[in-house]
Amino acid sequence: MEYTAKRIHSDPLSWVEKYADYLYGFAMSRIRDEDVAKDLVQDTFLAGLQQLDSFEGNSKEKTWLTAILRNKIADFYRKRSAISLRDLKVIGAEGELKDFFDAESGHWTEKDYPRAFGLEEYNPLIVKELGNILDGCLAKLPGLWCSVFSMKHMDDLASEQICAELKLTPANFWVIMHRTKLNLRACLQKNWN
């Protein structure tokens, strides 16, 4: 009887030390709720332990755990996206921004044409300040909006994949993206001098 030991590609005992902070930051950038982010990271570690036999080492441990967390985040928003768009409270800025575009031409109105943000030259302090303001603006968005925006612009996921993961129709997806961009623009222009 020949015994061959299965090669271990992962060390679960080191996961918390190595990856907890990174995974928490990843979750916070998409969830914006500390308690939910902590729970999702814990769920990720638990799922990783349960799926350890299927981890073959074809990717890095961190990449594998991040993929599990990404699925946990999608599950979280999938459950919450059962609320129809009609039931979502529209942030006040949308009402203020409904006249951004000329009804006839579809172009920006002169008074609402996007202004330059003053980032013509790279300055790490200014970039950091703008990043903090953007984080604050993202935190004010409804969770589903923030997740859709993050998945599209931070994770570079295809629109179709986002719709499938969050069970959104393409029309709902584009409405959410439009409202998110309008609200982010209003918030950034209000808080960035």
Side-chain angles (χ1 to χ4, degrees):
M1 181 172 179
E2 186 178 315
Y3 175 77
T4 56
K6 182 176 179 177
R7 185 172 173 210
I8 297 176
H9 301 283
S10 184
D11 179 17
L13 298 177
S14 67
W15 288 353
V16 173
E17 183 180 327
K18 286 181 178 178
Y19 309 117
D21 290 339
Y22 169 78
L23 293 173
Y24 175 74
F26 184 90
M28 276 298 294
S29 70
R30 286 143 181 87
I31 299 292
R32 306 278 179 208
D33 182 313
E34 290 181 18
D35 293 331
V36 173
K38 288 176 185 176
D39 288 345
L40 291 175
V41 170
Q42 289 178 1
D43 290 348
T44 297
F45 288 143
L46 182 59
L49 281 172
Q50 293 170 341
Q51 300 170 21
L52 191 57
D53 288 343
S54 67
F55 181 64
E56 297 177 358
N58 296 331
S59 64
K60 293 182 180 178
E61 227 175 24
K62 182 178 178 180
T63 304
W64 178 64
L65 290 169
T66 302
I68 293 171
L69 177 57
R70 185 176 282 122
N71 289 332
K72 296 288 180 191
I73 291 169
D75 289 344
F76 172 78
Y77 280 116
R78 198 175 295 122
K79 289 175 187 170
R80 291 188 65 191
S81 70
I83 301 170
S84 71
L85 286 178
R86 286 177 294 170
D87 297 333
L88 288 175
K89 291 184 179 176
V90 177
I91 296 176
E94 184 175 300
E96 297 170 15
L97 303 178
K98 67 181 175 183
D99 298 320
F100 263 1
F101 306 99
D102 181 85
E104 292 178 24
S105 69
H107 296 286
W108 292 101
T109 60
E110 190 173 324
K111 71 177 181 82
D112 292 313
Y113 194 83
R115 298 185 309 257
F117 267 57
L119 295 175
E120 291 77 25
E121 294 182 26
Y122 178 74
N123 181 330
L125 293 175
I126 292 175
V127 170
K128 183 176 181 178
E129 182 181 350
L130 180 59
N132 290 338
I133 292 170
L134 178 60
D135 284 344
C137 292
L138 285 168
K140 293 177 185 178
L141 294 172
L144 179 61
W145 295 12
C146 184
S147 180
V148 169
F149 184 82
S150 297
M151 291 170 83
K152 180 69 177 173
H153 295 291
M154 295 169 81
D155 296 338
D156 291 324
L157 297 179
S159 305
E160 297 79 20
Q161 185 178 356
I162 297 168
C163 289
E165 287 188 19
L166 298 179
K167 295 191 185 331
L168 296 172
T169 66
N172 287 351
F173 171 81
W174 290 112
V175 167
I176 290 171
M177 286 300 295
H178 175 72
R179 290 178 177 176
T180 299
K181 289 177 182 179
L182 289 178
N183 279 279
L184 286 176
R185 177 178 181 237
C187 182
L188 285 170
Q189 286 187 334
K190 180 179 179 183
N191 294 293
W192 180 258
N193 298 323

